[in-house]
């Protein structure tokens, strides 16, 4: 009596807020549409934060379970993307704290490249091999520089760059002061900018 | 860009510039337009921000699409619990039996009535009133998005009729009012259910 479920691409152009409202009412199809829409960014962020492909997928899964349970507490449906990313960030940090050995991001990029056949810079101009090669190696240089950052600086930078968090949100996620966030983010940027100086 | 990384000769620092880029706050905004050191520092930070955006795009591409197998297997593992909401009594055929339907199933009915209209999708849906007492007046509130170009009032009227007909057929609720809010106007291109599997729509001519 509930009618046939909409086709999977039915919701492609429906805004987040509407899907969040439906999902909060218990519409699993709308929730899955949100998960498919924001899942890739959640996964990308979790990979940079945990440094592990397997941990990142666990984090995405746990985050979606938590999101489904707590969706009715989300007041502003338009904010569902940043809310999902906030959950992903907290769970990624928890995941790393639970783990004994620290993340090794240079390793992550090797495994990523091995798994996907992409040596980074996949978005680079396809019609221009030289530009693509340059852009590809520039991305590799940035990945290496990000991986070489002290953990706390890297977290601040990823939370800003990937999760688009404010200083206050980063402070909350990492349980540190806003002043520490400012300092670490700036130091991360100084280090990265210096590393990337030669890649202009 | 300064080699020291801490303070420039002008006394300002990359940390200040980094905060300025995020918040627009700077103790001496006029200085930024005059100081070559600060300008080259800002330029370096802006180049880094652009590279960072490029890395995010590359990482998202490497993560794969939301329609790929990895996401499907995560979704398969979720086993989302249902949200039944309140129990709504239904008059039994055999006296003594107790029959109920759930608020969640009524919301789903209302959503499918909205989704069955071309270029229309339902959002949040509420049943205001004491649904657990048979006969109490209930107000339905539903948000919808409608594709740009559809006459909104006509659409809202058709939707009200469709919801009234659906609820009259499948429930015993005493519907006092149906409030339709057009919460969003969608870009044309929204496929609408017409593009999905064919489904008989609730006739918009039907009177409640």
């Amino acid at each position: 009596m509930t009618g046939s479920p909409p086709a999977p691409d039915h919701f492609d152009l429906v805004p987040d807020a509407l899907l969040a409202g439906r999902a909060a009412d218990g519409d699993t199809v709308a929730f899955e549409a949100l998960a498919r829409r924001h899942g890739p960014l959640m996964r990308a962020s979790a990979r940079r934060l945990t440094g592990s492909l397997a941990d990142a997928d666990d984090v995405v899964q746990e985050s979606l379970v938590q999101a489904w349970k707590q969706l009715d507490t989300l007041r502003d449906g338009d904010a569902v993307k940043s809310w999902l990313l906030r959950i992903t960030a907290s769970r990624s940090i928890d995941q790393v704290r639970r783990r004994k050995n620290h993340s090794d991001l240079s390793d992550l990029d090797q495994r990523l490249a091995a798994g996907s056949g992409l040596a980074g810079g996949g978005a680079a101009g396809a019609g221009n091999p030289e530009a693509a090669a340059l852009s590809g190696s520039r991305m590799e240089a940035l990945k290496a520089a990000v991986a070489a950052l002290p953990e706390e600086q890297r977290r601040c930078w990823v939370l800003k760059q990937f999760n688009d968090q404010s200083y206050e949100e980063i402070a909350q996620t990492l349980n540190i002061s806003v002043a520490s966030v400012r300092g670490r983010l700036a130091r991360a940027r100084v280090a990265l900018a210096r590393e990337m100086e030669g890649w202009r | 860009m300064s080699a020291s990384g801490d303070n420039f000769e002008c006394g300002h620092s990359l940390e200040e510039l980094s905060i300025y880029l995020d918040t627009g706050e700077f103790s001496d905004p006029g200085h930024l337009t005059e100081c070559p050191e600060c300008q080259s520092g800002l330029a370096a930070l802006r180049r880094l921000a652009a590279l960072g955006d490029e890395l995010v795009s590359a990482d998202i591409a490497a993560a794969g699409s939301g329609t790929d197998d990895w996401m499907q297997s995560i979704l398969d593992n979720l086993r989302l619990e249902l949200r039944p909401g309140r129990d709504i009594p239904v008059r039994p055929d055999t006296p003594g039996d107790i029959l109920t339907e759930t608020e969640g199933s009524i919301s789903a009915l209302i959503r499918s009535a909205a989704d069955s209209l071309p270029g229309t999708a339902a959002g949040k849906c509420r049943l205001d009133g004491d649904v657990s007492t048979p006969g109490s007046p209930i107000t339905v509130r539903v948000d919808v998005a409608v594709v740009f170009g559809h006459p909104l009032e006509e659409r809202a009227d058709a939707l009200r009729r469709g919801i009234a007909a659906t609820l009259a057929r499948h429930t015993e609720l005493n519907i006092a009012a149906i409030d339709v809010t057009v919460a969003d106007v969608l870009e044309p291109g929204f496929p609408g259910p017409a593009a999905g599997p064919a489904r008989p729509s609730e006739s918009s001519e039907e009177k409640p």
Side-chain angles (χ1 to χ4, degrees):
Chain A
M1 75 185 243
T2 55
S4 54
D9 61 349
H10 174 71
F11 290 132
D12 280 1
L13 294 166
V14 175
D16 277 1
L18 209 76
L19 291 181
R22 290 177 78 120
D25 284 352
D27 184 2
T28 54
V29 181
F31 183 76
E32 292 190 353
L34 283 173
R36 290 182 196 281
R37 184 176 294 176
H38 301 302
L41 178 54
M42 293 168 73
R43 195 185 202 194
S45 161
R47 282 176 171 183
R48 287 283 157 211
L49 287 170
T50 64
S52 152
L53 300 183
D55 282 355
D57 281 7
D58 288 348
V59 163
V60 172
Q61 183 164 320
E62 290 168 11
S63 299
L64 289 174
V65 170
Q66 182 179 342
W68 174 254
K69 285 187 183 146
Q70 297 177 352
L71 244 182
D72 47 354
T73 66
L74 177 68
R75 287 215 192 120
D76 174 13
D78 278 321
V80 70
K81 176 183 176 183
S82 54
W83 182 71
L84 286 172
L85 284 168
R86 218 155 46 229
I87 296 176
T88 307
S90 302
R91 291 206 161 256
S92 297
I93 302 302
D94 288 348
Q95 181 80 10
V96 175
R97 286 195 180 126
R98 272 203 299 271
R99 217 172 47 197
K100 274 192 183 157
N101 49 336
H102 276 253
S103 50
D104 182 349
L105 277 171
S106 53
D107 209 33
L108 168 79
D109 286 316
Q110 277 161 17
R111 286 193 306 271
L112 259 177
S116 67
L118 284 175
N128 186 342
E130 227 171 282
L134 178 65
S135 160
S137 22
R138 197 169 50 196
M139 275 300 104
E140 290 315 303
L142 179 57
K143 287 175 189 172
V146 170
L149 288 174
E151 175 111 32
E152 287 297 312
Q153 289 183 28
R154 184 173 68 240
R155 287 174 173 174
C156 288
W157 189 79
V158 171
L159 290 173
K160 185 91 198 105
Q161 187 73 48
F162 281 68
N163 299 48
D164 199 25
Q165 291 196 340
S166 68
Y167 290 3
E168 287 74 17
E169 287 168 338
I170 298 174
Q172 229 170 12
T173 304
L174 297 178
N175 201 16
I176 58 179
S177 69
V178 172
S180 304
V181 173
R182 273 199 290 266
R184 283 171 199 183
L185 188 56
R187 283 198 295 281
R189 285 171 171 166
V190 169
L192 294 177
R194 189 168 295 146
E195 282 298 318
M196 300 310 292
E197 198 70 333
W199 288 93
R200 293 166 57 175
Chain B
M1 190 174 143
S2 152
S4 81
D6 293 311
N7 278 12
F8 298 140
E9 278 176 25
C10 64
H12 292 291
S13 66
L14 267 172
E15 174 168 348
E16 288 171 77
L17 296 180
S18 160
I19 293 164
Y20 168 72
L21 277 186
D22 289 329
T23 66
E25 288 162 23
F26 197 77
S27 55
D28 177 13
H31 169 84
L32 292 176
T33 57
E34 292 158 9
C35 173
E37 251 187 324
C38 283
Q39 283 184 357
S40 88
L42 277 176
L45 289 175
R46 289 201 172 103
R47 276 194 302 276
L48 174 66
L51 280 176
D53 291 344
E54 222 182 292
L55 178 61
V56 175
S57 301
D59 275 9
I60 290 175
S65 148
T67 53
D68 290 350
D69 289 351
W70 70 276
M71 180 48 85
Q72 191 56 55
S73 89
I74 284 178
L75 291 176
D76 290 345
N77 284 333
L78 290 185
R79 284 189 285 274
L80 304 174
E81 307 149 31
L82 295 177
R83 290 187 214 285
R86 294 174 284 181
D87 278 340
I88 301 174
V90 179
R91 212 175 323 122
D93 290 332
T94 312
D97 285 358
I98 295 174
L99 292 182
T100 59
E101 53 193 352
T102 64
E103 190 174 14
S105 70
I106 306 287
S107 308
L109 269 178
I110 293 168
R111 284 196 297 269
S112 69
D115 291 352
S116 69
L117 293 176
T120 309
K124 206 162 197 46
C125 167
R126 285 285 162 271
L127 300 178
D128 286 344
D130 180 12
V131 289
S132 55
T133 304
S136 16
I138 305 297
T139 296
V140 174
R141 294 183 209 285
V142 59
D143 290 345
V144 294
V146 177
V147 170
F148 178 80
H150 289 267
L152 298 183
E153 277 182 40
E154 213 176 278
R155 182 50 46 87
D157 283 344
L159 182 53
R160 265 192 291 273
R161 287 196 298 271
I163 291 173
T166 303
L167 293 180
R169 189 175 314 133
H170 295 290
T171 77
E172 295 168 1
L173 292 173
N174 170 20
I175 302 299
I178 299 174
D179 292 346
V180 174
T181 304
V182 178
D184 260 299
V185 176
L186 304 181
E187 295 287 323
F190 171 68
R199 175 169 22 146
S201 66
E202 305 293 344
S203 164
S204 57
E205 296 308 310
E206 197 166 342
K207 299 284 179 233

